[in-house]
Amino acid sequence: MDKGLGAGDHVVVQDHRGMPIGVGLYNPQSLIAVRLYARHVRPIDADLFRDRIDMALALRRRILPVEVTYRVVHGEGDHLPGIVIDRYGDYLSAQSLTAGIERRIEQILDILEERLAPRGIVCRRDSQARALEGLPLLAPIERGEVPDRVEVPYEGLVLTSDLRHGQKTGEFLDQRENRKRVARESNGRHVLDLYCYTGLFSLHCCMAGAASVLGIDSSATAIERARMNAERNAPGRGVTFREDEVERALEGLAREDARFDMIVLDPPALVRSKKALAEGARKYVAINSAALRLLRPGGTLATGTCSHHVDATAFLEILRAAAKHARTELRLVEVLGQSRDHPVLLSARETSYLTMVMAERIR
């Protein structure tokens, strides 16, 4: 590798025979030295970004023809490593994550304005993942006008979203189909929604006929928005939210001898690296076994992991251990993944990061 190259420079990648196998952006400070953007030699310029964004938009318009809140670009899943772009109605929220993208971000924002004509764009540069690229945390880049809170349509709901300070880009859009699938099992049931964030699993369940829903999250601002979303979309529907640490809440509910017919468990990533796999697996076992103790026989557990280090097979092993620890038994209902606006490339395992398991407690 040329020692004169800098972070974000364009390089041609060659095989052992010296034949080109693609082009990418180089970063000597990253564990991933080169991120590929094309499998043939071409400039990584505005034309490439325009092509990639057009392909990404064509997919979303085909699979979500009437929706206006979705992931526009899913990094490597759309052959644009280092950037995530979500659409929230008339607004766009993006994350610049790598040195190569950071050097070209204004060019990409120009193309987004050209193709989608949003009222405003927020490009956030506050992800801790930037440290792995040698990038500092910076204030967001903003274009147009973006209110502190935006109201956006989502699957028949109207959400109040914070694109500047909410987690990731503001909401978690990767559970779109899973929320609807879980809600179909919730009619007439008492539901506990753990790590509920802004309450989207809770809202889907209560609107599908759940007898009651209790959502718990440690973030005061998330709970505030969850309550706002419930008041806007499901007033008087028996959904309540509580600010609390989930582990502490589980202990308290156990002491109260509380029981539920359905428990949704959607924690943040507990395994962020291979080195953390064993410790993270233990955490997954602990919270799932604690949840199972609150689940009535015949009840449904909908539990997930958003770490690409824990695939579906590994997560099922974790749930087997959790069931054994809780002295109960689970019957598998379904294994789900991320929504289709978060595309998975078979050639890039990291693009498949979300597993949601639905299982029934049978004793």
Side-chain angles (χ1 to χ4, degrees):
M1 188 69 70
D2 188 337
K3 293 182 179 180
L5 290 172
D9 280 356
H10 174 285
V11 295
V12 176
V13 180
Q14 298 177 340
D15 64 16
H16 67 283
R17 300 167 298 174
M19 300 297 293
I21 59 174
V23 292
L25 299 179
Y26 172 66
N27 187 352
Q29 300 184 59
S30 173
L31 292 175
I32 303 174
V34 178
R35 297 177 189 269
L36 287 179
Y37 285 77
R39 293 287 181 174
H40 57 279
V41 177
R42 64 172 293 183
I44 302 176
D45 57 9
D47 287 339
L48 181 145
F49 293 130
R50 192 174 288 108
D51 289 346
R52 297 288 187 263
I53 290 170
D54 284 348
M55 289 174 62
L57 286 170
L59 172 63
R60 278 66 176 182
R61 287 164 179 160
R62 177 166 58 83
I63 63 176
L64 297 168
V66 299
E67 293 295 325
V68 294
T69 300
Y70 50 79
R71 175 145 295 181
V72 176
V73 169
H74 182 53
E76 285 88 345
D78 288 295
H79 299 98
L80 277 177
I83 188 165
V84 168
I85 305 164
D86 286 341
R87 180 182 179 184
Y88 293 91
D90 294 329
Y91 304 94
L92 298 178
S93 180
Q95 287 182 295
S96 173
L97 302 170
T98 63
I101 288 295
E102 188 81 355
R103 281 178 48 177
R104 297 159 176 82
I105 191 62
E106 298 287 356
Q107 189 176 58
I108 293 170
L109 298 183
D110 288 343
I111 295 167
L112 292 173
E113 288 187 322
E114 170 192 313
R115 288 301 196 249
L116 288 167
R119 293 178 62 181
I121 303 175
V122 176
C123 179
R124 294 174 59 169
R125 299 183 291 173
D126 57 355
S127 172
Q128 295 300 320
R130 290 169 59 94
L132 301 174
E133 290 279 309
L135 294 174
L137 305 185
L138 298 172
I141 301 170
E142 299 197 23
R143 300 238 184 140
E145 296 183 3
V146 180
D148 290 337
R149 300 282 177 87
V150 300
E151 292 193 340
V152 297
Y154 173 81
E155 293 291 337
L157 306 173
V158 178
L159 308 180
T160 300
S161 297
D162 183 347
L163 306 190
R164 289 190 184 87
H165 306 108
Q167 294 187 42
K168 303 295 184 179
T169 66
E171 301 287 350
F172 294 101
L173 304 179
D174 49 7
Q175 295 272 26
R176 179 189 300 270
E177 283 87 5
N178 298 345
R179 292 184 179 114
K180 292 183 285 187
R181 174 65 185 91
V182 168
R184 292 205 303 271
E185 304 272 337
S186 68
N187 184 47
R189 299 174 118 181
H190 297 279
V191 179
L192 176 63
D193 181 9
L194 300 170
Y195 303 98
C196 68
Y197 191 47
T198 57
L200 298 191
F201 271 110
S202 295
L203 287 177
H204 277 77
C205 288
C206 78
M207 297 183 76
S212 69
V213 182
L214 170 61
I216 296 175
D217 197 278
S218 63
S219 168
T221 56
I223 289 296
E224 177 190 5
R225 283 166 52 202
R227 289 171 177 153
M228 294 171 66
N229 286 335
E231 182 63 28
R232 174 66 181 269
N233 296 280
R237 290 286 189 95
V239 57
T240 57
F241 295 99
R242 180 192 304 175
E243 179 193 343
D244 201 354
E245 294 289 341
V246 167
E247 293 84 353
R248 184 171 59 198
L250 285 167
E251 292 173 359
L253 291 166
R255 286 194 299 270
E256 297 166 11
D257 202 29
R259 294 294 182 269
F260 299 88
D261 306 305
M262 171 178 276
I263 297 178
V264 180
L265 189 55
D266 186 23
L270 300 180
V271 181
R272 298 188 179 275
S273 67
K274 285 186 177 180
K275 290 192 298 183
L277 184 56
E279 180 184 356
R282 285 192 293 270
K283 290 180 180 178
Y284 279 122
V285 170
I287 60 173
N288 278 279
S289 61
L292 283 170
R293 294 187 183 97
L294 304 180
L295 189 65
R296 292 188 179 98
T300 300
L301 175 69
T303 181
T305 170
C306 58
S307 172
H308 73 263
H309 296 288
V310 181
D311 62 14
T313 300
F315 195 51
L316 289 172
E317 288 299 320
I318 285 170
L319 295 182
R320 289 186 182 98
K324 182 179 180 180
H325 196 263
R327 298 183 179 180
T328 187
E329 190 170 355
L330 291 175
R331 177 164 54 211
L332 183 64
V333 175
E334 195 167 354
V335 179
L336 307 165
Q338 63 221 51
S339 56
R340 289 186 65 196
D341 55 341
H342 294 62
V344 173
L345 296 184
L346 293 181
S347 59
R349 292 177 182 270
E350 295 79 5
T351 58
S352 176
Y353 68 94
L354 177 64
T355 298
M356 174 69 77
V357 173
M358 296 182 67
E360 181 183 0
R361 176 178 174 173
I362 59 176
R363 67 173 178 87

